[in-house]
Amino acid sequence: MQIKRSRERIVVDIPIVVTTVLDSLEGTIVDLSEGGAQVVGCSLPARSQCQIDLDGHITFGTVQWSEEDRMGIRFPYELNDGPLYERLDLARAAKRAPAAFHPRFGAAVAGGGFGRRID
């Protein structure tokens, strides 16, 4: 069953620290929207209150679901500023950017192609 989301989740790779009253864990945000994030590399029990620390900027959240090495965190207030929102905005802009044209191959090349070295 697919859940209709109000915000598009964007693939990112953002190292963070997740803090609770009792613990501080390192993890990585792998997808992000204004309303929440999926964090891998650590987990907390569902319904845990936590804060995400990125570059000294704190974003509060509640764990919605949790597995052994990942969890989904919902933000009580949608992101609209700060370093986490800026990273989301940059990732969203990069997703929309057209692939670069490379004259040697006569076509668009995204990221240099698989296994190809482009000089």
Side-chain angles (χ1 to χ4, degrees), residues 8-11 88-99:
E8 178 186 16
R9 293 182 295 171
I10 303 296
V11 175
L88 173 61
D89 206 31
L90 285 172
R92 191 172 279 144
K95 182 179 175 183
R96 284 190 231 131

Side-chain angles (χ1 to χ4, degrees), residues 23-47:
D23 212 354
S24 187
L25 308 166
E26 292 185 9
T28 302
I29 296 176
V30 294
D31 77 44
L32 181 64
S33 73
E34 285 86 350
Q38 181 180 172
V39 177
V40 298
C42 63
S43 68
L44 295 167
R47 295 183 301 281

Side-chain angles (χ1 to χ4, degrees), residues 61-119:
T62 302
V63 177
Q64 295 298 300
W65 58 267
S66 181
E67 295 178 358
E68 184 176 326
D69 65 340
R70 65 186 65 230
M71 62 185 158
I73 298 176
R74 183 175 186 176
F75 307 137
Y77 305 102
E78 288 200 356
L79 296 178
N80 58 20
D81 66 354
L84 203 53
Y85 179 77
E86 291 167 7
R87 298 286 290 270
L88 173 61
D89 206 31
L90 285 172
R92 191 172 279 144
K95 182 179 175 183
R96 284 190 231 131
F101 180 81
H102 195 283
R104 179 173 166 197
F105 295 104
V109 178
F114 180 75
R116 297 254 175 179
R117 183 174 163 189
I118 299 177
D119 298 310

